[in-house]
Amino acid sequence: AFECAEGVEVADVDCGSGSRGLITVFGASGNTGLALVPLAIEQGYRVRAFVRNLYAFSKELGDTFRHPALEVVCADLSDEQAVENAVAGARAVISVAGAKPETAPGPMALAVPAMVEGCRRFGIRRLIIQACALDAAPTERVGWLTQGSLVRTIVRWQLGSTIVGDNEAVLRFIKDVRDVDWTVSRPGSLVDGDATGALAPCMDSFRTGTVRYADVAEWTLAQVDSDAYVGKMPRLYYPPVHHPI
């Protein structure tokens, strides 16, 4: 089923049974989302994809766009009511969203509280959020002349990206949420490519290096049925790591 934020239905198909239940995916049209949505359907979930541009999503997703287990909500993350409503009936909520382009005002500092309110309103316990490895958790110190501080300076001031500031506002907010089982992942730089193997959740400092969208999508989906990282903000790198959790 496809509908816009105003509630006008623009197409209708049977959403299928989805034996593992419904998950809502914010940012489904981004690169991680495009890896995650087909994988979730393959694993037996029904997926409600929250996207801003229905046409672009359909073009990128290809044949999966017409899969009976996919439902699409077309709305903007700035529409807090639409964000709240989009989680109704889900067994878990996943956010892999962010500013696009990266210089645009960051949407997540407002969108994530709306997701949390939706989880409270509809009785959903599981919330999984993707940030990035550059983001510092509230208890972390970045330091002055570290690799992380240098890259953060370039990303924020030279490239004009809003992502780090937006994500860190989310981390500050979510750390005090006690009535939702949240996890925040902080993967390294994301790249295309086939899945290569298990990621290593850790509390290592920021380091350069890449991880693949496919691996992050697989790890993220695994958290729906796992409480191993509830209330935690692991960075995701490939092994070896120094401080695994």
Side-chain angles (χ1 to χ4, degrees):
F2 314 119
E3 65 176 38
C4 294
E6 296 83 358
V8 179
E9 193 168 294
V10 297
D12 188 27
V13 294
D14 178 7
C15 285
S17 59
S19 60
R20 298 186 69 179
L22 172 69
I23 59 174
T24 296
V25 179
F26 292 94
S29 59
N31 289 322
T32 305
L34 291 170
L36 192 149
V37 168
L39 182 62
I41 291 172
E42 180 183 314
Q43 291 185 6
Y45 292 102
R46 287 185 295 119
V47 176
R48 179 180 294 139
F50 188 102
V51 302
R52 183 173 57 182
N53 189 321
L54 190 66
Y55 173 75
F57 182 55
S58 67
K59 185 177 179 181
E60 292 288 344
L61 204 59
D63 291 342
T64 304
F65 184 72
R66 288 289 175 182
H67 197 286
L70 177 66
E71 173 186 345
V72 184
V73 174
C74 177
D76 196 279
L77 287 167
S78 63
D79 186 338
E80 296 173 58
Q81 193 62 58
V83 171
E84 284 191 37
N85 290 340
V87 311
R91 60 171 297 202
V93 176
I94 295 173
S95 173
V96 291
K100 192 173 183 180
E102 291 189 14
T103 54
M108 304 313 296
L110 291 177
V112 169
M115 293 175 201
V116 170
E117 284 305 308
C119 288
R120 289 168 174 157
R121 176 180 165 196
F122 295 107
I124 300 157
R125 293 293 306 181
R126 199 69 177 100
L127 173 61
I128 304 148
I129 301 167
Q130 178 181 299
C132 72
L134 266 181
D135 304 327
T139 57
E140 289 178 339
R141 296 183 63 185
V142 177
W144 286 100
L145 294 175
T146 63
Q147 189 176 65
S149 67
L150 295 174
V151 176
R152 285 163 64 94
T153 299
I154 292 170
V155 167
R156 276 178 160 172
W157 304 114
Q158 186 172 331
L159 302 181
S161 173
T162 63
I163 287 181
V164 170
D166 194 28
N167 285 345
E168 289 183 351
V170 169
L171 270 53
R172 290 191 297 272
F173 164 79
I174 204 72
K175 72 177 177 61
D176 294 322
V177 173
R178 298 287 182 265
D179 54 344
V180 174
D181 293 336
W182 56 266
T183 298
V184 177
S185 69
R186 294 182 289 162
S189 298
L190 290 158
V191 295
D192 292 325
D194 295 332
T196 61
L199 292 164
C202 65
M203 293 306 293
D204 288 13
S205 299
F206 170 82
R207 68 173 190 240
T208 57
T210 61
V211 295
R212 296 190 174 187
Y213 292 110
D215 289 320
V216 173
E218 189 169 315
W219 187 90
T220 301
L221 274 177
Q223 305 319 303
V224 172
D225 289 319
S226 172
D227 61 2
Y229 303 103
V230 169
K232 299 179 180 178
M233 303 178 180
R235 287 190 171 92
L236 301 181
Y237 297 129
Y238 293 120
V241 297
H242 298 293
H243 303 288
I245 58 173

